[in-house]
Amino acid sequence: MNMKNNILDKNYPQYNDYYFKSVLRQRANGLLKFVGIPYQIDTMILSEYTTVGPGISRIDFAGDVKSDEKKITLILECQSELPTDEDIKRFFQYVSSLRIFKNNNVELYILCTKKPSYDKKEFVINDECTYTMHVISLKDFKAREIFKCIEDKLKNNGKITDEDIASLQVIVYTDYEESELEVLLKARMLLEKIAEKSKMDINEKKAIIYLLDVLSVNMLDDEKVEKYEEETYMLLNPTDRYLLKKGKSEGKFEGKCDVAQNLLDEGFPIEQVVELTGLSKEDILNAK
């Protein structure tokens, strides 16, 4: 099984449901603010996850925004490399297809890890529309500063913003000194703390974690993705970790059942709960 597809499927299987799209718009707006894009999405018109080749995965946000009373369709895309000529051709076709349904000008912002030799490129679709492509390097942002800001807020009961959450979700695109795995695991742990502190709805938390994973997975090879999965299994709260270890070492059925329920509540598929706890599927279902 392809580990990259597996990590996406298990974290948020209902990618196109209404609830997720509403969370996606909120997160996209946090990301726009984080990178300094002067728009806010009013209406999410499309969210698309695409796999375009081995190790190349992307998530796109698209929506309508207002600027000086003029409607604009904005597209936000994260990718590890600078856009190639083939990418630009694909983007042009994508934008042209949007123009069939919308009568807006279109602005595409690409967030990546490389610094381009240009800030933007303009393409004329027709006499009424100029399509503008902007490229922003996230290497201009320091992971160390992002972590410190959020850790200080958590320690001092400061307000965690959508911009803060967005900065963690794209942390692996920024400038960091540790390994990708260390940075991702630290971001995941902080998101867990944020969710706990703010008493997030479980579906919102799942959507936020899903975005962390889907925005980061194309930066890792399959071996690192597998390691990331293994490590994040233990990013439960301390009680869950204790019960998991105790249930496995002492064989206590009740402890394992508690662990199984917690894992199911966190969104783990039952097959993985069976593997983690050593319980049968029937025992887990009967204990619910």
Side-chain angles (χ1 to χ4, degrees), residues 67-81:
S67 175
D68 300 326
E69 302 303 319
K70 183 178 182 180
K71 285 188 177 180
I72 295 172
T73 294
L74 180 141
I75 305 169
L76 182 65
E77 177 162 307
C78 296
Q79 63 181 62
S80 56
E81 300 296 329

Side-chain angles (χ1 to χ4, degrees), residues 30-273:
L31 187 54
L32 294 179
K33 189 173 182 180
F34 171 62
V35 298
I37 296 174
Y39 298 122
Q40 290 283 281
I41 294 176
D42 296 317
T43 306
M44 181 70 70
I45 61 173
L46 180 67
S47 58
E48 178 187 14
Y49 170 73
T50 56
T51 299
V52 294
I56 307 174
S57 304
R58 286 193 270 264
I59 189 169
D60 302 327
F61 305 136
D64 289 341
V65 302
K66 290 181 180 179
S67 175
D68 300 326
E69 302 303 319
K70 183 178 182 180
K71 285 188 177 180
I72 295 172
T73 294
L74 180 141
I75 305 169
L76 182 65
E77 177 162 307
C78 296
Q79 63 181 62
S80 56
E81 300 296 329
L82 290 172
T84 63
D85 290 342
E86 191 63 30
D87 286 331
I88 292 173
K89 179 180 178 181
R90 178 173 63 86
F91 295 149
F92 189 89
Q93 293 171 340
Y94 181 35
V95 169
S96 298
S97 69
L98 285 179
R99 288 284 297 169
I100 296 173
F101 305 102
K102 298 283 181 179
N103 212 25
N104 305 339
N105 283 332
V106 181
E107 292 200 33
L108 165 67
Y109 283 84
I110 298 173
L111 310 181
C112 63
T113 62
K114 303 292 178 63
K115 289 183 178 293
S117 58
Y118 53 88
D119 292 325
K120 65 181 181 180
K121 290 187 176 183
E122 293 185 343
F123 307 88
V124 176
I125 293 179
N126 56 43
D127 292 339
E128 299 177 352
C129 177
T130 299
Y131 147 48
T132 306
M133 182 185 75
H134 310 259
V135 181
I136 298 175
S137 172
L138 290 177
K139 286 297 182 185
D140 292 332
F141 298 87
K142 304 289 185 182
R144 179 175 53 192
E145 295 173 4
I146 293 170
F147 285 141
K148 185 177 186 309
C149 174
I150 295 173
E151 287 167 344
D152 286 346
K153 286 186 177 183
L154 288 170
K155 182 179 179 180
N156 299 310
N157 294 317
K159 178 178 173 55
I160 300 295
T161 65
D162 292 334
E163 184 179 351
D164 293 326
I165 293 174
S167 68
L168 290 175
Q169 289 170 324
V170 295
I171 198 75
V172 79
Y173 288 77
T174 64
D175 183 24
Y176 50 85
E177 299 171 356
E178 306 90 336
S179 68
E180 295 100 330
L181 279 176
E182 289 174 313
V183 167
L184 273 175
L185 290 171
K186 189 171 183 179
R188 177 66 180 267
M189 179 64 82
L190 285 175
L191 286 173
E192 294 281 347
K193 290 180 178 179
I194 290 169
E196 182 180 355
K197 178 182 178 181
S198 59
K199 296 181 171 56
M200 260 182 206
D201 176 88
I202 183 63
N203 289 315
E204 183 178 4
K205 177 183 172 182
K206 285 168 64 178
I208 286 172
I209 297 300
Y210 181 88
L211 286 176
L212 169 69
D213 290 343
V214 77
L215 288 170
S216 303
V217 72
N218 63 315
M219 299 292 288
L220 306 175
D221 59 30
D222 283 348
E223 183 178 345
K224 289 180 180 177
V225 169
E226 186 171 3
K227 181 65 176 174
Y228 175 62
E229 285 191 309
E230 291 173 357
E231 293 293 332
T232 52
Y233 285 154
M234 296 308 292
L235 287 179
L236 308 170
N237 65 53
T239 302
D240 290 332
R241 288 200 297 270
Y242 170 75
L243 285 173
L244 182 58
K245 292 178 181 178
K246 183 176 181 181
K248 280 191 170 183
S249 63
E250 300 183 13
K252 291 194 175 182
F253 181 80
E254 294 80 5
K256 289 185 178 182
C257 288
D258 288 340
V259 171
Q261 187 58 57
N262 283 320
L263 292 173
L264 290 173
D265 290 343
E266 287 292 323
F268 285 84
I270 193 166
E271 291 79 10
Q272 290 171 352
V273 177

